Amino acid sequence: MKNVTWDSYQLFLDVSRSGGLTGAAALTGLSPATVGRRMIELEERIGKALFQRSQTGYALTADGRALFDRLQAMENAAKEIEGWQKASSASSVVRIAVGTWNAWLLTGNFSAICTDRDDFRIDLFIAEQRASLAHRENDIGIRAFEPQERNLAAVRTGEVAYAPYRLRNAAAYVADRWIAVGEENAISAYLRWPHENSGNEIVVTVSRPTALLDLVLSGAGVAVLPCFVGDADARLAREGGEIEPLRHNQWIVMNNDDRHRRDIRTVADRMTRLIKGHSDLYAGRKSRPA
């Protein structure tokens, strides 16, 4: 059984499963004559008759069946190893830390960040507090200020603007009813703004920023939202102009030692393209008439 390659064994399996030379030839692209010659060579090298040949096809002998069973077990083991290899290569995780509304954009355009062809998966941590990367808690973050930590690299994506929004065509009294995140959860400047400027007109407080959008769409009142959220929804209108003191730049941040890792670089580049592709919305340059 010297010098028998796996290709010969695979061809043997093809002949066995298809019941003859013609079927194996269709599977492999070889000619029936070539398949027949290769099976004769295999039998000579093994020293056993593997097939009973007839006009109706190829049937396995007892030795052929014994070889088939062993090769099928080897084939199944090989497939298990291949699956294990793919699972190991797909075990890479890219951890992204973002605020509520950047997460809203990423999840709404997720196929631009991660596809079924990628060999990594995404872990998305959504919170208003500053993205922590200095000790590799996360791989990629989005910050409203340029990082000062020496071991972090940053890519500026542009400006972010904010404005008050209400339901389009809402009743006039809605303008005096403000919706805000409760003070204990108002970490970001735009979340604190209603408390600092319209505190007496707040009629609803919520614990999560996403509820601001839900309540505004229900006609409950006015809330401060990023322009890339508010201006993107035709159901909303600005209640007044941009709140200019809230405007800030934005950076995608990575650990300097890890930013060249292929999966991290891929995701960071895709996030940059996505956000820059919405730069006019982010900067409040696509507002609709009230």
Side-chain angles (χ1 to χ4, degrees), residues 15-16 46 59 73 80 156 204 223 260 278 280:
V15 174
S16 303
I46 291 177
E80 287 183 9
R156 183 177 174 274
V204 184
H260 296 298
H278 290 75
D280 284 344

Side-chain angles (χ1 to χ4, degrees), residues 15 33 59 79 96 106 108 120 129 132 137 139-140 188 191 203 208 269 272 280:
V15 174
K79 287 179 180 177
I96 307 172
L106 293 184
F120 54 79
Q129 62 259 40
S132 181
E137 300 91 334
D139 300 309
I140 303 172
S188 303
L191 297 177
V203 295
R208 296 183 178 181
D269 287 346
T272 301
D280 284 344

Side-chain angles (χ1 to χ4, degrees), residues 96 106 113 140 142 252 267-275:
I96 307 172
L106 293 184
I113 303 301
I140 303 172
I142 298 181
I252 288 179
V267 174
D269 287 346
R270 290 173 181 173
M271 288 174 59
T272 301
R273 284 195 298 270
L274 176 65
I275 293 173

Side-chain angles (χ1 to χ4, degrees), residues 67-98:
L67 178 61
F68 179 86
D69 291 342
R70 286 164 173 77
L71 291 178
Q72 189 164 250
M74 290 174 62
E75 186 180 52
N76 291 338
K79 287 179 180 177
E80 287 183 9
I81 292 170
E82 183 180 358
W84 169 79
Q85 182 183 15
K86 287 181 179 178
S88 0
S89 66
S91 63
S92 169
V93 179
V94 179
R95 298 161 300 172
I96 307 172
V98 288

Side-chain angles (χ1 to χ4, degrees), residues 102-224:
N102 278 312
W104 174 85
L105 183 76
L106 293 184
T107 55
N109 297 272
F110 193 71
S111 61
I113 303 301
C114 184
T115 74
D116 58 359
R117 297 182 298 275
D118 291 321
D119 58 356
F120 54 79
R121 63 183 178 88
I122 300 294
D123 179 77
L124 195 59
F125 177 76
I126 304 170
E128 289 302 303
Q129 62 259 40
R130 182 179 71 176
S132 181
L133 295 97
H135 301 290
R136 291 185 170 88
E137 300 91 334
N138 296 286
D139 300 309
I140 303 172
I142 298 181
R143 287 188 180 177
F145 55 91
E146 190 170 12
Q148 301 302 312
E149 297 95 325
R150 297 176 66 181
N151 63 332
L152 297 184
V155 177
R156 183 177 174 274
T157 62
E159 293 184 318
V160 185
Y162 298 82
Y165 288 89
R166 58 170 169 79
L167 183 67
R168 189 177 296 276
N169 301 322
Y173 67 82
V174 165
D176 297 323
R177 295 171 60 85
W178 281 80
I179 306 162
V181 167
E183 288 189 84
E184 66 277 12
N185 294 307
I187 297 173
S188 303
Y190 83 96
L191 297 177
R192 294 193 299 271
W193 193 92
H195 296 282
E196 296 168 352
N197 296 272
S198 301
N200 293 332
E201 296 174 320
I202 294 175
V203 295
V204 184
T205 57
V206 296
S207 60
R208 296 183 178 181
T210 49
L212 298 175
L213 178 59
D214 295 334
L215 285 166
V216 170
L217 287 171
S218 77
V222 178
V224 177

